[in-house]
Amino acid sequence: MAAAALALSGCAVLGNVAQLDDDYYRVIHRPAADTLAALASRRQLYVQQRADTLLLTPDAPTGRPLTYRYRLQPNNRLWLLRRRLDLDVFTIPFKVRPPQGGVPVQLNTNFNAAIYVGRRLDFYSLRTKRTTPFGNTPHIRATGLGYGAFIGAGSTFITDDVTFTTRPTAADYEGVVLHGGLAAIYDARAFNIGLAAGIDQLLGPDGPHWVYQHKPWFGVLFGLDLN
């Protein structure tokens, strides 16, 4: 189970952002012959948005930092990257279990939940767009990916059909499982949705007899971004 506790996870977000957060970013793409050429050499920039103008302040190990003003253009996109810590809570509405021990493919719809912490990469495409008769306004489109580790708990129905031999417990019951795994997630702004792959460990005396003990499963995630 120790190997299952550490897992990678991916996140994604796609949509428009009204205001860029004041934070550290990197310029990962700029228009050709842009005045940001000297600043775009993979250095961190502290970025502040003021309407259609960005205030860019490079890290300055010594001396007073210099701030540059960059005005967004209607036909030229500027791409920024921000890295940050990500914390999510997931529910797993169903798991698909491949055939094991003579049992065909199973669809488990019992309660399952997980929590994960990881790193998030947010990509921002910035330009201006004419949306009013008074001129251009900032237009920011965000896309995000992430990676991290998750672990959680859930339940599964235990019967003689999903055990290898005569099990210690005679009654059918809802067993408690711990799980961890890999995930790729799309953030729909209001909620996260994604695909997951993981393994389970059944707690209790029937664990060693369970056909799915430490076997892979695949499922769907719904999540809530806590930060």
Side-chain angles (χ1 to χ4, degrees):
M1 184 59 196
L6 295 178
L8 299 178
S9 178
C11 294
V13 64
L14 181 62
N16 294 329
V17 177
Q19 176 73 27
L20 200 66
D21 293 336
D22 293 354
D23 206 344
Y24 282 97
Y25 298 80
R26 290 182 186 273
V27 176
I28 58 173
H29 177 75
R30 55 182 171 76
D34 197 280
T35 55
L36 279 178
L39 301 177
S41 58
R42 299 186 177 277
R43 290 192 295 169
Q44 276 205 124
L45 304 171
Y46 191 79
V47 180
Q48 300 167 285
Q49 182 187 349
R50 301 293 183 265
D52 64 347
T53 300
L54 301 181
L55 304 181
L56 308 175
T57 307
D59 274 342
T62 60
R64 185 176 179 180
L66 297 177
T67 297
Y68 301 83
R69 299 177 65 88
Y70 178 81
R71 189 169 184 178
L72 300 176
Q73 303 298 318
N75 299 319
N76 296 322
R77 292 182 182 271
L78 176 69
W79 284 86
L80 300 178
L81 168 64
R82 178 174 67 162
R83 295 181 174 91
R84 62 187 176 96
L85 186 68
D86 194 20
L87 179 65
D88 291 322
V89 171
F90 302 130
T91 181
I92 308 170
F94 65 84
K95 298 176 179 178
V96 176
R97 302 184 186 277
Q100 295 289 344
V103 182
V105 175
Q106 294 286 308
L107 179 65
N108 179 203
T109 58
N110 304 71
F111 170 78
N112 291 277
I115 185 170
Y116 108 106
V117 61
R119 294 282 289 176
R120 182 178 178 121
L121 305 178
D122 291 300
F123 300 87
Y124 298 91
S125 170
L126 301 94
R127 66 184 180 93
T128 56
K129 186 177 181 181
R130 188 173 183 84
T131 57
T132 71
F134 305 101
N136 296 331
T137 57
H139 182 76
I140 306 174
R141 192 143 182 96
T143 304
L145 299 171
Y147 57 91
F150 78 82
I151 187 172
S155 65
T156 189
F157 198 53
I158 302 300
T159 68
D160 290 336
D161 295 331
V162 291
T163 55
F164 285 117
T165 59
T166 303
R167 54 196 172 101
T169 304
D172 296 341
Y173 67 100
E174 288 279 345
V176 177
V177 296
L178 300 180
H179 53 237
L182 306 175
I185 301 161
Y186 168 78
D187 189 338
R189 309 295 294 178
F191 60 90
N192 301 330
I193 185 172
L195 301 176
I199 61 174
D200 286 349
Q201 175 170 313
L202 176 66
L203 303 182
D206 289 330
H209 306 278
W210 190 39
V211 297
Y212 299 117
Q213 188 81 325
H214 301 158
K215 302 299 182 182
W217 53 261
F218 306 91
V220 170
L221 294 175
F222 286 96
L224 176 65
D225 192 348
L226 298 183
N227 59 342

